[in-house]
Amino acid sequence: NAGVTQTPKFRILKIGQSMTLQCTQDMNHNYMYWYRQDPGMGLKLIYYSVGAGITDKGEVPNGYNVSRSTTEDFPLRLELAAPSQTSVYFCASRSRTVNTEAFFGQGTRLTVV
Amino acid sequence: AQSVTQLGSHVSVSEGALVLLRCNYSSSVPPYLFWYVQYPNQGLQLLLKYTSAATLVKGINGFEAEFKKSETSFHLTKPSAHMSDAAEYFCAVSKNAGNMLTFGGGTRLMVKP
């Protein structure tokens, strides 16, 4: 009963380094999302995908990239990390069925120093 | 574009008192509405969702919310707060089943003994 799994849980990056945040779901959901959470700002959508091979930008995509080669996986790539990318990142997935909720992973806490 | 406003980034109540967390949305079409709860260092979990079958929606842990179209509101209430209710609460809206969720800024609920 895994749901949405994110790895790693914590990471410290140096400015200019790159990394990939992993996200996988086992519910066969078509829709997957990446959000970042900053204190007092709620959750902001970075990228989303409506199915394998299809991705689109959300509200705050700059500095990030995604791919969706399978239904299960939706990795988020940070190139040239900057302090402004210090945040908590959440992956979520959702069925295309009417009025269903999104299921969230436990989050990745990233610090860029 | 949709938006969600949560009035009050911090709400403090005494144990046993009424909990009222406010959420107003702007949407050009009848939306799908959700309340999520986030406990410290965890992901978001669904409290309740508006299905359009009934304007008063009951969720987990004794929470409920009432959809008021005339006021574009979906406020969350609980008759009697418990210490374990201390968490951050997010209201979210989506335009349709597969569309991305737009989140409010969150309300941190503190419960005093």
Side-chain angles (χ1 to χ4, degrees):
Chain A
N1 198 20
V4 179
T5 303
Q6 290 183 237
T7 56
K9 288 187 168 51
F10 304 93
R11 183 73 186 267
I12 298 175
L13 275 183
K14 294 184 178 179
I15 294 172
Q17 286 186 321
S18 301
M19 76 165 293
T20 299
L21 281 66
Q22 302 291 345
C23 175
T24 187
Q25 52 94 6
D26 61 0
M27 296 172 281
N28 201 32
H29 286 167
N30 295 96
Y31 299 98
M32 295 189 74
Y33 312 89
W34 274 105
Y35 289 90
R36 60 176 286 171
Q37 183 182 26
D38 300 300
M41 302 297 289
L43 282 80
K44 301 291 186 186
L45 183 66
I46 304 171
Y47 270 94
Y48 67 101
S49 169
V50 299
I54 306 170
T55 62
D56 208 347
K57 296 177 181 178
E59 189 179 356
V60 289
N62 291 345
Y64 307 95
N65 273 302
V66 293
S67 59
R68 183 98 181 267
S69 57
T70 66
T71 298
E72 294 78 20
D73 299 306
F74 190 41
L76 177 72
R77 178 84 177 160
L78 278 72
E79 305 281 3
L80 299 175
S84 61
Q85 294 177 304
T86 294
S87 188
V88 181
Y89 292 84
F90 288 99
C91 179
S93 72
R94 191 178 184 189
S95 165
R96 68 169 56 171
T97 306
V98 171
N99 200 24
T100 57
E101 67 270 26
F103 293 83
F104 284 80
Q106 293 294 294
T108 295
R109 185 175 295 275
L110 175 68
T111 302
V112 181
V113 296
Chain B
Q2 304 166 86
S3 70
V4 181
T5 303
Q6 291 183 241
L7 285 176
S9 59
H10 293 79
V11 170
S12 180
V13 300
S14 298
E15 193 172 20
L18 171 72
V19 175
L20 170 61
L21 305 182
R22 299 177 188 275
C23 172
N24 288 87
Y25 66 91
S26 67
S27 176
S28 58
V29 297
Y32 295 94
L33 293 159
F34 306 83
W35 274 100
Y36 284 85
V37 60
Q38 184 183 32
Y39 298 103
N41 300 314
Q42 293 190 26
L44 279 73
Q45 55 182 282
L46 183 74
L47 266 181
L48 50 81
K49 61 183 179 183
Y50 171 63
T51 64
S52 77
T55 56
L56 184 62
V57 182
K58 293 188 184 301
I60 62 172
N61 301 337
F63 284 93
E64 59 184 36
E66 186 172 8
F67 173 68
K68 291 187 176 180
K69 186 177 178 181
S70 61
E71 298 177 8
T72 60
S73 69
F74 192 55
H75 301 330
L76 182 71
T77 60
K78 182 174 180 178
S80 177
H82 193 272
M83 297 297 289
S84 61
D85 295 327
E88 187 147 24
Y89 293 80
F90 292 93
C91 183
V93 61
S94 72
K95 194 166 59 176
N96 55 44
N99 206 355
M100 67 285 287
L101 290 171
T102 300
F103 285 86
T107 297
R108 184 168 297 279
L109 176 66
M110 295 167 283
V111 182
K112 300 176 291 186

